[in-house]
Short mmCIF file of all heavy atoms in Angstrom, two decimals:
data_model
loop_
_atom_site.label_atom_id
_atom_site.label_comp_id
_atom_site.label_asym_id
_atom_site.label_seq_id
_atom_site.Cartn_x
_atom_site.Cartn_y
_atom_site.Cartn_z
N ASN A 67 -3.51 21.26 0.77
CA ASN A 67 -4.85 21.15 0.83
C ASN A 67 -5.19 20.03 1.81
O ASN A 67 -5.29 18.87 1.32
CB ASN A 67 -5.51 20.89 -0.51
CG ASN A 67 -7.04 21.02 -0.57
OD1 ASN A 67 -7.66 20.54 0.41
ND2 ASN A 67 -7.61 21.45 -1.58
N LYS A 68 -5.54 20.25 2.95
CA LYS A 68 -5.71 19.30 3.99
C LYS A 68 -6.98 18.52 3.73
O LYS A 68 -6.97 17.25 3.98
CB LYS A 68 -5.85 20.01 5.38
CG LYS A 68 -5.87 19.06 6.58
CD LYS A 68 -5.67 19.74 7.90
CE LYS A 68 -5.72 18.72 8.96
NZ LYS A 68 -5.60 19.51 10.35
N SER A 69 -8.08 19.07 3.33
CA SER A 69 -9.26 18.39 3.08
C SER A 69 -9.23 17.39 1.89
O SER A 69 -9.73 16.25 1.98
CB SER A 69 -10.50 19.41 2.81
OG SER A 69 -10.16 20.15 1.74
N ALA A 70 -8.37 17.74 0.95
CA ALA A 70 -8.10 16.87 -0.20
C ALA A 70 -7.07 15.96 0.00
O ALA A 70 -6.78 15.03 -0.76
CB ALA A 70 -7.93 17.79 -1.38
N LYS A 71 -6.24 16.15 1.14
CA LYS A 71 -5.15 15.31 1.43
C LYS A 71 -4.11 15.27 0.20
O LYS A 71 -3.65 14.25 -0.19
CB LYS A 71 -5.53 13.78 1.74
CG LYS A 71 -6.31 13.69 3.05
CD LYS A 71 -6.49 12.29 3.52
CE LYS A 71 -7.45 11.60 2.73
NZ LYS A 71 -7.70 10.10 3.19
N GLN A 72 -3.85 16.55 -0.13
CA GLN A 72 -2.85 16.76 -1.34
C GLN A 72 -2.06 17.92 -1.02
O GLN A 72 -2.44 18.85 -0.29
CB GLN A 72 -3.72 16.97 -2.68
CG GLN A 72 -4.57 15.82 -3.12
CD GLN A 72 -5.32 16.20 -4.30
OE1 GLN A 72 -5.47 17.39 -4.77
NE2 GLN A 72 -5.89 15.21 -5.04
N PHE A 73 -0.75 17.87 -1.62
CA PHE A 73 0.10 19.00 -1.60
C PHE A 73 0.89 19.05 -2.78
O PHE A 73 1.09 17.98 -3.49
CB PHE A 73 0.93 19.11 -0.33
CG PHE A 73 1.69 17.82 -0.06
CD1 PHE A 73 3.17 18.05 -0.11
CD2 PHE A 73 1.31 16.64 0.31
CE1 PHE A 73 3.96 16.94 0.07
CE2 PHE A 73 2.08 15.55 0.63
CZ PHE A 73 3.48 15.76 0.52
N SER A 74 1.32 20.18 -3.26
CA SER A 74 2.12 20.26 -4.46
C SER A 74 3.32 21.21 -4.22
O SER A 74 3.30 22.05 -3.38
CB SER A 74 1.16 20.79 -5.58
OG SER A 74 0.66 22.13 -5.24
N LEU A 75 4.26 21.05 -5.20
CA LEU A 75 5.41 21.84 -5.24
C LEU A 75 5.41 22.61 -6.53
O LEU A 75 5.23 22.04 -7.56
CB LEU A 75 6.70 20.98 -5.16
CG LEU A 75 7.97 21.71 -5.40
CD1 LEU A 75 8.35 22.61 -4.10
CD2 LEU A 75 9.20 20.75 -5.58
N HIS A 76 5.51 23.93 -6.39
CA HIS A 76 5.61 24.78 -7.59
C HIS A 76 6.97 25.41 -7.64
O HIS A 76 7.56 25.93 -6.75
CB HIS A 76 4.71 25.95 -7.54
CG HIS A 76 3.28 25.57 -7.61
ND1 HIS A 76 2.57 24.69 -6.72
CD2 HIS A 76 2.15 25.90 -8.48
CE1 HIS A 76 1.37 24.52 -7.00
NE2 HIS A 76 1.14 25.28 -8.17
N ILE A 77 7.65 25.21 -8.83
CA ILE A 77 9.06 25.86 -9.03
C ILE A 77 8.80 26.85 -10.06
O ILE A 77 8.50 26.61 -11.26
CB ILE A 77 10.02 24.80 -9.55
CG1 ILE A 77 10.12 23.54 -8.54
CG2 ILE A 77 11.46 25.43 -9.62
CD1 ILE A 77 10.98 22.48 -8.97
N MET A 78 8.99 28.12 -9.67
CA MET A 78 8.82 29.26 -10.64
C MET A 78 10.19 29.56 -11.29
O MET A 78 11.18 29.20 -10.84
CB MET A 78 8.49 30.51 -9.78
CG MET A 78 7.23 30.42 -8.82
SD MET A 78 5.72 29.87 -9.64
CE MET A 78 5.23 31.46 -10.54
N ASP A 79 9.94 30.01 -12.46
CA ASP A 79 11.16 30.42 -13.38
C ASP A 79 12.15 29.28 -13.32
O ASP A 79 13.35 29.34 -12.87
CB ASP A 79 11.79 31.71 -12.78
CG ASP A 79 12.96 32.21 -13.64
OD1 ASP A 79 13.04 32.06 -14.76
OD2 ASP A 79 14.00 32.89 -13.02
N SER A 80 11.65 28.15 -13.75
CA SER A 80 12.51 26.93 -13.74
C SER A 80 13.79 27.11 -14.60
O SER A 80 13.81 27.65 -15.59
CB SER A 80 11.70 25.74 -14.25
OG SER A 80 10.52 25.44 -13.50
N GLN A 81 14.93 26.52 -14.05
CA GLN A 81 16.18 26.70 -14.51
C GLN A 81 16.75 25.27 -14.88
O GLN A 81 16.44 24.17 -14.17
CB GLN A 81 17.11 27.40 -13.61
CG GLN A 81 16.69 28.80 -13.29
CD GLN A 81 16.70 29.72 -14.57
OE1 GLN A 81 17.66 29.72 -15.31
NE2 GLN A 81 15.58 30.43 -14.85
N PRO A 82 17.65 25.10 -15.85
CA PRO A 82 18.24 23.82 -16.16
C PRO A 82 19.01 23.21 -14.96
O PRO A 82 18.98 21.97 -14.69
CB PRO A 82 19.34 24.18 -17.25
CG PRO A 82 18.76 25.39 -17.86
CD PRO A 82 18.07 26.18 -16.92
N GLY A 83 19.35 24.04 -14.00
CA GLY A 83 20.03 23.49 -12.78
C GLY A 83 19.03 22.90 -11.76
O GLY A 83 19.33 22.27 -10.80
N ASP A 84 17.68 23.08 -12.00
CA ASP A 84 16.69 22.46 -11.22
C ASP A 84 16.50 21.05 -11.78
O ASP A 84 15.70 20.23 -11.11
CB ASP A 84 15.35 23.23 -11.39
CG ASP A 84 15.44 24.65 -10.86
OD1 ASP A 84 16.21 24.96 -9.89
OD2 ASP A 84 14.74 25.58 -11.36
N SER A 85 17.02 20.59 -12.85
CA SER A 85 16.83 19.26 -13.41
C SER A 85 17.39 18.32 -12.34
O SER A 85 18.56 18.26 -11.99
CB SER A 85 17.59 19.05 -14.62
OG SER A 85 17.03 20.00 -15.71
N ALA A 86 16.48 17.35 -11.86
CA ALA A 86 16.87 16.59 -10.66
C ALA A 86 15.61 15.60 -10.50
O ALA A 86 14.53 15.77 -11.20
CB ALA A 86 17.10 17.30 -9.46
N THR A 87 15.67 14.76 -9.49
CA THR A 87 14.56 13.94 -9.07
C THR A 87 13.91 14.55 -7.78
O THR A 87 14.64 14.89 -6.92
CB THR A 87 14.94 12.44 -8.80
OG1 THR A 87 15.55 11.97 -9.93
CG2 THR A 87 13.81 11.66 -8.30
N TYR A 88 12.66 14.77 -7.78
CA TYR A 88 11.98 15.37 -6.59
C TYR A 88 11.11 14.31 -5.95
O TYR A 88 10.34 13.59 -6.58
CB TYR A 88 11.08 16.49 -7.16
CG TYR A 88 12.03 17.70 -7.60
CD1 TYR A 88 12.61 17.64 -8.82
CD2 TYR A 88 12.32 18.78 -6.82
CE1 TYR A 88 13.43 18.71 -9.33
CE2 TYR A 88 13.22 19.80 -7.23
CZ TYR A 88 13.70 19.75 -8.43
OH TYR A 88 14.51 20.74 -8.82
N PHE A 89 11.16 14.37 -4.70
CA PHE A 89 10.44 13.45 -3.84
C PHE A 89 9.55 14.24 -2.89
O PHE A 89 10.06 15.13 -2.11
CB PHE A 89 11.29 12.58 -2.95
CG PHE A 89 12.20 11.58 -3.76
CD1 PHE A 89 13.44 12.03 -4.02
CD2 PHE A 89 11.72 10.33 -3.99
CE1 PHE A 89 14.29 11.01 -4.76
CE2 PHE A 89 12.54 9.37 -4.70
CZ PHE A 89 13.82 9.83 -5.15
N CYS A 90 8.28 13.88 -2.84
CA CYS A 90 7.37 14.42 -1.75
C CYS A 90 7.51 13.32 -0.69
O CYS A 90 7.89 12.16 -0.84
CB CYS A 90 6.03 14.65 -2.09
SG CYS A 90 5.17 13.20 -2.67
N ALA A 91 7.23 13.63 0.62
CA ALA A 91 7.23 12.86 1.67
C ALA A 91 6.29 13.24 2.74
O ALA A 91 5.84 14.38 2.74
CB ALA A 91 8.68 12.72 2.28
N ALA A 92 5.96 12.32 3.69
CA ALA A 92 5.12 12.62 4.80
C ALA A 92 5.59 11.95 5.99
O ALA A 92 6.15 10.76 5.92
CB ALA A 92 3.67 12.25 4.46
N SER A 93 5.46 12.60 7.17
CA SER A 93 6.15 12.03 8.31
C SER A 93 5.09 11.87 9.49
O SER A 93 4.23 12.72 9.63
CB SER A 93 7.16 12.95 8.75
OG SER A 93 7.80 12.50 9.93
N ILE A 94 5.27 10.82 10.23
CA ILE A 94 4.54 10.63 11.60
C ILE A 94 5.45 9.81 12.37
O ILE A 94 6.12 8.85 11.99
CB ILE A 94 3.24 9.94 11.32
CG1 ILE A 94 2.51 9.69 12.59
CG2 ILE A 94 3.41 8.58 10.56
CD1 ILE A 94 1.05 9.12 12.48
N ASN A 95 5.57 10.25 13.72
CA ASN A 95 6.42 9.63 14.64
C ASN A 95 7.74 9.25 14.27
O ASN A 95 8.34 8.13 14.31
CB ASN A 95 5.69 8.26 15.15
CG ASN A 95 4.36 8.57 15.78
OD1 ASN A 95 4.14 9.48 16.47
ND2 ASN A 95 3.41 7.61 15.71
N SER A 96 8.29 10.29 13.68
CA SER A 96 9.81 10.17 13.22
C SER A 96 9.96 9.26 12.00
O SER A 96 11.19 9.08 11.51
CB SER A 96 10.62 9.51 14.32
OG SER A 96 12.00 9.67 13.98
#
Side-chain angles (χ1 to χ4, degrees):
Chain A
N67 186 330
K68 189 174 181 178
S69 60
K71 294 191 286 184
Q72 294 176 346
F73 58 110
S74 59
L75 176 69
H76 291 62
I77 305 174
M78 310 300 287
D79 186 27
S80 299
Q81 299 296 312
D84 296 330
S85 298
T87 301
Y88 290 81
F89 295 92
C90 64
S93 178
I94 178 173
N95 295 333
S96 189

